[in-house]
Each structure stands twice: as C-alpha cells, then as structure tokens.
Amino acid sequence: MKEKETLQPDNAGDKPVFSDSKKDAKEVVKEKYSQIALQESSSGKSSCCGTACCSSGEYSVFSDSYETIEGYVPEADLGLGCGLPTEYAKMKEGDTVVDLGSGAGNDCFVARAIVGESGKVIGIDMTEAMIEKAKANAAKRNYSNVDFLLGDIENIPLDENVADVVVSNCVLNLVPDKQKAFSEIFRILKPGAHLSVSDVVLEGELPDNIKQANEMYAGCVSGAIQKDEYLKIMSDSGLMNIMIQQEKVITVPDEILLNYLSLQELADYKNSGKGIFSITVYADKPMGCNCKCEC
C-alpha cells in the first residue's frame, strides 16, 4: 500500500512566473537552490517544494527524517529530499558511492558512515553555493574520503566505470534531459554496480499551468514525468533489474495549487484521478558491460 504525505503551506505566495524553456527552468533551479544553500539552517528547512521554491511562501518538507540514521549531519540536511535512497542502496564497506545533486552533503555523509574509511564518496552538484557548503561541512569533520565536484548530471565530471553505487534524492526530476542523465549514470557505474534514487513522478498529466510554472519546476513537481516513462528511460539507458523499493503519495494542498489553477481547474484536477508520487527505485548495470552503449 502506498504511503501518503501532504505538503503543507505556511503562507500564500504571489502568482508564479512562467518558463519559456527548459533551459530557463534549469537556471531557476540553480537560482533557487543557491538561495537555499545560503540561508541559515536555523531559519527552517526547505523541501524540494520548500522555501522559495514552490512560490514566495514557505512550505514544510515532504522529505523523510534522517535524524536517527548513522552519519547524519544536521547542518547538511536542508530538507531537500523526497525519500531515503541511502537506506535502500545496499552500500557496503569499501564502496565508491556517487551522490548526484548532493546539495550540502546530507546523503554523502550518511553514505560515508556505511562505506567507512576504506570507501570513497563523491558528491556532484551544479550549484556553487551548495558545493561550498558541502565542502565546509566535510572540512569541519576532517572527512578526507568525501569529495564534492561542481558538475551537471547531464555531463557528469567522472570517468567511466568508477561507481559501485549511485544515489540521488529528488534531483533527477529537475533535469531537462532525463535520458542523458540516466545514460551518464550508466556510464559511471562499474559493471555489476547499481543505483538507488528517490524521485518525484506522476500518474496522469498535470495541468498546463503547473507544467509551465518556473517555481513549481524548481520545487520538483512540474519537472516530474510519468512513472512508466521514468522507468522506461532507465531501461532504455541499459539499466536492468529495475525495482521500485518505496512509493508514497504526495498531496499538494489547495492553497498551493490555487496559485496556478482557477477554482474550476482545481476541481477538475482533483476529480481526474491524477497524482504526484515519490518513488525510490533500484537498478543495476549488467556484468561484463564496460562501455556506454547498451550491452
């Protein structure tokens, strides 16, 4: 049975600005996540539909709690996730783990607690402010085997066949070219290695206004695609043994949706059977596959 979570609003925001292209949306994501990186953690966590993302108001997180997990670093937890991929990633001591969209380092530090001193953790993020924040968090703890690199998930700055495990938390849905992103993941995975990613997907099409809204895109909602399409992209990238490890319903309250929809559009949407879901997905790269091509 699917779990259910509700994204709760604290304040109503202004009407959103609309995006003309996916390139514009990518710039919005950079800008919004830079703002989040620079804010003080004490001012309140921001989910991927959090502070300054869905609108100019602030919303509580729909991420899962890390507080009881070994390796948890509170300063690195900006509440940007929609799952706990590290809990499902089957990491082991000595592994090399790559976290895509690593933010302030939250999942990287949890991964480090699992892989130990003999392992290595690499965080990739396209936002300079996040990279700086993550490096500062690692330096405070003298973590010598955790690195953070500035880079785009559509062009990961790593060699082929370097990762035992790839994780990502509520980030791939923000990437305009998801096929390219999963092809890059396939490329950096070692033969026989695997991924566990948490992400937002859809069942049924969202209304056009939500799809076009810049800030909902930065909030991990309108950048999401259909669940079946998401899984097919993974398969088309060469990944195998694809399995949904966790799934939960995300309920966006009327107060948020009315920033984008009229009352009639809202009523039609609620009666449509459409939905927004968080899923955590496992997949692996076939053994003996040493190339970027399908094997």
Side-chain angles (χ1 to χ4, degrees):
M1 188 170 71
K2 296 173 183 174
E3 299 175 37
K4 182 175 180 180
E5 291 221 4
T6 302
L7 178 63
Q8 295 294 346
D10 292 329
N11 299 300
D14 297 331
K15 293 293 181 181
V17 178
F18 293 95
S19 172
D20 293 327
S21 70
K22 287 188 175 181
K23 181 178 180 181
D24 293 339
K26 201 170 192 178
E27 291 305 311
V28 169
V29 171
K30 274 189 177 182
E31 178 184 349
K32 294 300 181 182
Y33 283 76
S34 293
Q35 292 173 4
I36 292 169
L38 295 170
Q39 76 182 12
E40 293 296 327
S41 59
S42 60
S43 66
K45 291 180 182 177
S46 307
S47 74
C48 64
C49 243
T51 302
C53 283
C54 287
S55 77
S56 60
E58 296 183 7
Y59 305 104
S60 62
V61 300
F62 61 74
S63 60
D64 292 329
S65 174
Y66 279 77
E67 292 181 2
T68 62
I69 297 176
E70 186 179 357
Y72 174 66
V73 174
E75 304 97 297
D77 184 7
L78 304 181
L80 295 170
C82 56
L84 293 172
T86 50
E87 292 294 280
Y88 295 90
K90 302 179 182 180
M91 294 177 282
K92 62 184 184 299
E93 189 172 354
D95 277 349
T96 295
V97 178
V98 176
D99 178 19
L100 300 178
S102 51
N106 190 32
D107 284 303
C108 288
F109 301 138
V110 171
R112 182 191 180 278
I114 299 171
V115 304
E117 294 290 343
S118 61
K120 184 176 181 62
V121 182
I122 305 168
I124 309 290
D125 203 282
M126 71 173 182
T127 308
E128 290 184 10
M130 285 293 188
I131 292 293
E132 291 174 7
K133 195 177 188 76
K135 286 183 175 180
N137 286 329
K140 286 179 186 176
R141 291 159 182 82
N142 296 316
Y143 289 163
S144 60
N145 61 336
V146 183
D147 293 333
F148 294 96
L149 303 178
L150 185 68
D152 195 312
I153 296 173
E154 294 172 2
N155 187 23
I156 299 172
L158 294 173
D159 292 335
E160 297 179 4
N161 308 319
V162 297
D164 296 295
V165 183
V166 169
V167 296
S168 185
N169 198 346
C170 214
V171 171
L172 291 166
N173 53 75
L174 297 171
V175 177
D177 191 342
K178 294 172 178 59
Q179 183 69 62
K180 184 68 166 65
F182 276 110
S183 293
E184 280 289 273
I185 292 172
F186 186 90
R187 180 182 67 82
I188 69 168
L189 283 169
K190 296 176 183 178
H194 63 273
L195 63 82
S196 182
V197 299
S198 295
D199 231 333
V200 174
V201 295
L202 310 174
E203 288 189 6
E205 288 292 332
L206 288 175
D208 287 341
N209 282 357
I210 293 178
K211 286 184 187 177
Q212 295 171 16
N214 265 348
E215 296 195 4
M216 282 291 274
Y217 191 94
C220 306
V221 176
S222 66
I225 60 174
Q226 298 296 313
K227 180 169 70 174
D228 289 346
E229 182 184 358
Y230 190 98
L231 299 177
K232 183 177 186 300
I233 288 172
M234 294 178 71
S235 178
D236 289 346
S237 300
L239 295 163
M240 299 184 67
N241 299 320
I242 299 167
M243 174 182 64
I244 294 178
Q245 299 167 301
Q246 184 190 46
E247 181 171 358
K248 63 185 179 185
V249 180
I250 303 298
T251 302
V252 182
D254 294 356
E255 293 95 325
I256 295 176
L257 293 176
L258 285 171
N259 286 318
Y260 306 92
L261 306 175
S262 68
L263 285 171
Q264 184 58 54
E265 288 171 333
L266 176 62
D268 292 343
Y269 173 60
K270 293 178 72 173
N271 291 327
S272 68
K274 302 168 184 174
I276 303 169
F277 299 86
S278 167
I279 59 172
T280 299
V281 189
Y282 172 95
D284 58 41
K285 179 175 179 175
M287 288 293 298
C289 195
N290 293 296
C291 57
K292 190 178 176 181
C293 59
E294 292 185 18
C295 299

